[in-house]
Amino acid sequence: MTKRARKRNARKKTWKELSPMAKFGTISAALVQLSMLVAAQRDITRRPAEQIRGSKTLWRMATLVNFVGPGSYFTFGVKRGRAAK
């Protein structure tokens, strides 16, 4: 059987079929994603609009994209002041 044929015939595993490490990894990734989402949403709520690049509404929607949204908000959406020397 070729690699392509195996991939075509493969099915997703159910939760019960996953190994304990796979379950732990899935739960860990979900917790990190949820934590980032909550942190970004809380920051958008508390931060004045002048300190955010763009619309608060658009950033709220963008943060709903797994990992990429909250990461982008904290990287590109928050205006940073000049560092003190």
Side-chain angles (χ1 to χ4, degrees):
M1 187 181 287
T2 66
K3 187 175 183 180
R4 183 180 289 175
R6 278 194 306 264
K7 192 172 186 178
R8 188 175 41 228
N9 293 333
R11 65 176 181 81
K12 293 183 179 181
K13 291 184 177 182
T14 63
W15 183 255
K16 290 180 181 181
E17 295 172 331
L18 291 176
S19 69
M21 283 304 291
K23 288 179 182 179
F24 176 78
T26 302
I27 292 170
S28 298
L31 288 174
V32 169
Q33 165 57 30
L34 185 60
S35 299
M36 289 174 64
L37 172 64
V38 169
Q41 291 288 333
R42 178 177 279 170
D43 189 77
I44 292 168
T45 298
R46 293 180 177 178
R47 189 176 298 272
E50 312 73 66
Q51 294 180 6
I52 296 177
R53 289 186 179 94
S55 163
K56 280 187 168 192
T57 304
L58 291 176
W59 278 116
R60 283 193 185 283
M61 289 188 296
T63 59
L64 297 175
V65 178
N66 292 342
F67 294 103
V68 175
S72 295
Y73 168 71
F74 286 118
T75 303
F76 304 113
V78 178
K79 292 181 181 176
R80 306 274 185 223
R82 293 186 181 244
K85 290 184 178 181

